[in-house]
Amino acid sequence: MAPISDLARISRALAGVAPASSDYDLNPGIVLPEGRKLKPAAVLMPIIETDQGARVILTMRSARLKHHPGQIAFPGGRIDDTDADAMAAALRESQEEIGLDPSNVELLGEFAPHETVTSYSVTPFVGRIRAPFTPVPEAGEVAEVFSVPLPFLLDPASYRIERRRWRGVWRAYYVAPYGPYYIWGATARMLKGLADRVAS
């Protein structure tokens, strides 16, 4: 019997119900205010099949940005009033940030929403890029577009926990360093959640 592909494992894992995640998952002592307002956002985890196997496309945000400069992120952003839904926002932002045509994306599923320390509720979608694709980074916002092997990101052992002081307190978070790229924070937390679901 042929082995189940990583894409099939992802689709199967995303078909089930999973709890929402948060940047606070590793920091249970932090008390979040009741009635807090979260801004809706959506991101896309684009998977492209190459001669070296399946890879996930990620971006490095420009160092000139006011928010999260230089950080590794999925293409995506805030949901606009003109977006039909969260998925439409993720596809629109992906087209703007890396030049990915929405018609070139096959949706495999979505994660549960993720709450960030910057008060966003992010809905992550997973999509397979159907045809050959050359990313075009958005000038001024995206410093670099690169890819990471999907098997690396689906391996729970690729992740570790680190800590740093943030707003005067120590905060723990997941990291998944890959070569020169330091994947951490919300992006690493969402990827770790997917890895755990696929592995279970």
Side-chain angles (χ1 to χ4, degrees):
M1 180 180 296
I4 299 175
S5 73
D6 286 336
L7 295 183
R9 292 166 62 211
I10 289 174
S11 295
R12 186 173 61 187
L14 294 178
V17 178
S21 63
S22 165
D23 282 353
Y24 303 101
D25 288 346
L26 297 175
N27 304 274
I30 295 178
V31 179
L32 299 177
E34 293 291 335
R36 61 191 181 280
K37 300 292 185 181
L38 300 177
K39 296 162 285 190
V43 297
L44 179 69
M45 176 180 158
I47 300 173
I48 188 166
E49 295 173 90
T50 72
D51 292 341
Q52 292 78 42
R55 301 179 71 89
V56 174
I57 294 177
L58 292 167
T59 70
M60 178 181 291
R61 292 170 58 83
S62 170
R64 298 189 299 272
L65 291 174
K66 179 179 179 181
H67 300 293
H68 310 294
Q71 289 189 12
I72 304 303
F74 296 117
R78 190 166 183 168
I79 300 174
D80 291 343
D81 292 338
T82 54
D83 292 318
D85 51 27
M87 182 177 69
L91 292 173
R92 172 184 57 76
E93 287 279 353
S94 297
Q95 186 169 33
E96 293 173 1
E97 292 184 6
I98 65 173
L100 178 59
D101 189 331
S103 66
N104 195 18
V105 179
E106 174 191 353
L107 184 68
L108 299 179
E110 66 182 88
F111 301 36
H114 176 87
E115 179 176 348
T116 72
V117 295
T118 49
S119 299
Y120 278 92
S121 177
V122 182
T123 301
F125 294 86
V126 181
R128 182 183 71 86
I129 299 177
R130 303 175 189 270
F133 164 69
T134 301
V136 179
E138 181 179 16
E141 184 166 346
V142 177
E144 182 181 353
V145 181
F146 65 97
S147 66
V148 177
L150 179 60
F152 171 83
L153 295 174
L154 291 183
D155 183 358
S158 297
Y159 301 84
R160 66 174 187 258
I161 296 173
E162 293 187 355
R163 296 194 313 152
R164 68 171 58 177
R165 289 187 70 84
W166 187 74
R167 295 183 178 176
V169 299
W170 283 101
R171 184 168 74 87
Y173 52 88
Y174 286 107
V175 302
Y178 178 76
Y181 303 107
Y182 185 72
I183 305 168
W184 72 288
T187 302
R189 176 65 187 93
M190 288 185 276
L191 285 167
K192 174 65 162 56
L194 178 63
D196 289 342
R197 290 180 67 181
V198 170
S200 64

